[in-house]
């Protein structure tokens, strides 16, 4: 048996999932985790959607540990709260719309056993029904598409990653900063640790969007990211960086997406059809970063899904 309510105490891997979208998304994610993983795992869901969703989780997935958080709790804060509940010597983080393949948990554990502090895989598209879904995925994840070089890395995706629990305990103050995973990964490297990429460990990103939803989410994520970076930055720096983000970032991200997809040798037809939607999506990206640099994150972080 790979997963049961009684196995958490002897779990090899704790899997952290912030629940921020819908029960339908989370249900598919949990079903994939609960079978064929080849390892003893505990699943910890931090949920901000409400008691009805938590009722369904407890009823349909009784072995899952559910942590209730306030509706405005940010995803980084939800991760930090759930990580503190983890009992295993290794901790993985995914998203509620990520579908892991059979053997994912064992592959991640085996990869971490021969690596440093953190190991990340790659992310492929599992939402292929509409061009909005394709455009949103390519806009956000073209850099994480396989193939990628294996070995030491400067960055890892935040939704297909495993850490040594001792590393997370040591960097608990960083987790409490309420910032995205890039801050944690930079802290690991600054402390002399290493990040390792294993591109053959691929998860599916199964997130469905409307045009308006992705426009708003792209803006909110970008504002939260830039707002966190700006911090106590003086206006003499905020203003030029913010204006550059507004003017220069959209064409840079548009061209980067094209370059990334072409370099993979995959999804070129999907890219061609996605180009018209990539334009407004990249404009939302630039607008979000510009507002974040100029005026801070506001409440954007708590609204990212």
């Amino acid at each position: 048996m790979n997963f049961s309510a009684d196995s958490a105490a002897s779990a090899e891997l704790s899997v952290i999932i912030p629940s921020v979208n819908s029960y339908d998304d989370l249900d598919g994610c949990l079903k994939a985790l609960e079978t064929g993983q080849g390892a003893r795992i505990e699943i910890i869901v931090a949920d901000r959607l409400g008691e009805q969703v938590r009722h369904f989780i407890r009823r349909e997935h009784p072995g899952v540990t559910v942590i209730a958080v306030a509706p405005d709790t940010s995803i980084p804060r939800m991760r930090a709260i759930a990580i503190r509940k983890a009992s295993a010597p290794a901790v993985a983080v995914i998203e509620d719309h990520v579908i892991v393949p059979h053997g994912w948990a064992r592959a991640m554990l085996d990869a971490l056993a021969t690596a440093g502090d953190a190991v990340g895989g790659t992310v492929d598209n599992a939402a292929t029904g509409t061009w909005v879904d394709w455009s949103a995925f390519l806009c956000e994840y073209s850099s994480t598409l396989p193939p990628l070089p294996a070995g030491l890395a400067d960055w890892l995706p935040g939704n297909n990653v495993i850490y040594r629990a001792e590393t997370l305990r040591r960097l608990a103050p960083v987790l409490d900063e309420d910032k995205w995973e890039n801050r944690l990964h930079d802290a690991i490297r600054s402390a002399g640790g290493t990040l390792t990429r294993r591109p053959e460990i691929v998860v599916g990103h199964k997130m469905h969007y409307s045009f308006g939803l992705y426009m708003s989410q792209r803006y909110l994520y970008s504002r939260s990211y830039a707002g966190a970076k700006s911090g106590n930055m003086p206006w003499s720096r905020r203003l030029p960086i913010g204006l550059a983000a507004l003017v220069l970032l959209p064409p840079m991200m548009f061209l980067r997406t094209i370059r990334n997809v072409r370099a993979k040798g995959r999804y070129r037809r999907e890219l061609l059809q996605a180009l018209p939607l990539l334009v407004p999506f990249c404009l939302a990206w630039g607008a979000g970063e510009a507002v974040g640099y100029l005026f801070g994150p506001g409440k954007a972080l708590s609204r990212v899904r």
Side-chain angles (χ1 to χ4, degrees):
M1 180 181 294
N2 297 321
F3 177 82
S4 72
D6 297 329
S7 65
S10 60
E12 300 171 83
L13 176 66
S14 300
V15 182
I16 305 303
I17 310 170
S19 170
V20 298
N21 286 289
S22 72
Y23 176 73
D24 287 341
D25 291 314
L26 180 62
D27 183 50
C29 173
L30 294 177
K31 286 177 178 175
L33 273 172
E34 289 174 346
T35 58
Q37 289 305 314
R40 300 185 307 279
I41 67 174
E42 67 170 348
I43 301 173
I44 304 175
V45 172
D47 175 74
R48 73 182 189 194
L49 297 177
E51 189 52 44
Q52 184 177 32
V53 168
R54 295 191 280 272
H55 168 74
F56 285 134
I57 298 171
R58 296 184 184 107
R59 186 185 71 185
E60 302 298 327
H61 305 277
V64 172
T65 298
V66 184
I67 303 171
V69 300
D72 61 349
T73 308
S74 71
I75 291 174
R77 181 73 66 195
M78 294 168 77
R79 290 172 176 172
I81 291 169
I83 285 170
R84 281 187 164 80
K85 296 289 186 179
S87 66
V91 179
V93 178
I94 59 173
E95 292 175 313
D96 61 2
H97 50 274
V98 161
I99 307 298
V100 303
H102 281 198
W104 171 83
R106 174 48 56 195
M108 292 291 268
L109 286 165
D110 290 348
L112 187 64
T114 59
D117 296 87
V119 175
T122 48
V123 183
D124 210 338
N125 191 23
T128 60
T130 71
W131 290 116
V132 174
D133 290 345
W134 267 111
S135 301
F137 176 80
L138 294 177
C139 181
E140 190 158 349
Y141 286 99
S142 66
S143 60
T144 71
L145 272 171
L148 282 172
L152 296 180
D154 295 334
W155 62 271
L156 298 174
N159 55 0
N160 184 18
V161 62
I162 184 173
Y163 307 94
R164 297 187 187 279
E166 62 190 44
T167 299
L168 297 178
R169 285 193 292 268
R170 188 170 65 248
L171 294 174
V174 176
L175 294 175
D176 290 337
E177 291 178 8
D178 201 16
K179 295 181 179 178
W180 292 108
E181 65 276 350
N182 61 292
R183 171 68 181 105
L184 172 63
H185 296 168
D186 288 345
I188 289 173
R189 296 176 67 224
S190 295
T194 59
L195 311 177
T196 303
R197 182 183 295 120
R198 290 289 298 269
E200 74 278 11
I201 306 177
V202 186
V203 299
H205 184 270
K206 195 173 184 179
M207 181 67 184
H208 299 288
Y209 293 100
S210 66
F211 175 80
L213 175 60
Y214 189 71
M215 285 287 288
S216 65
Q217 286 297 301
R218 184 65 266 176
Y219 169 85
L220 291 168
Y221 180 89
S222 299
R223 180 173 181 179
S224 70
Y225 177 82
K229 289 183 67 176
S230 63
N232 296 319
M233 189 182 293
W235 268 98
S236 59
R237 291 190 61 200
R238 283 176 181 255
L239 185 59
I241 295 176
L243 292 177
L246 185 64
V247 176
L248 300 178
L249 190 62
M252 286 175 56
M253 293 299 99
F254 183 81
L255 293 174
R256 188 189 74 170
T257 301
I258 295 172
R259 184 177 65 249
N260 286 343
V261 176
R262 292 185 63 185
K264 308 296 181 181
R266 309 166 61 217
Y267 298 148
R268 293 187 178 185
R269 181 179 68 89
E270 289 80 2
L271 172 65
L272 183 63
Q273 303 229 19
L275 289 178
L277 289 175
L278 284 176
V279 174
F281 290 168
C282 290
L283 288 171
W285 193 327
E289 290 217 8
V291 173
Y293 277 115
L294 292 174
F295 304 109
K299 296 182 179 180
L301 186 60
S302 64
R303 296 169 60 194
V304 174
R305 292 166 55 177

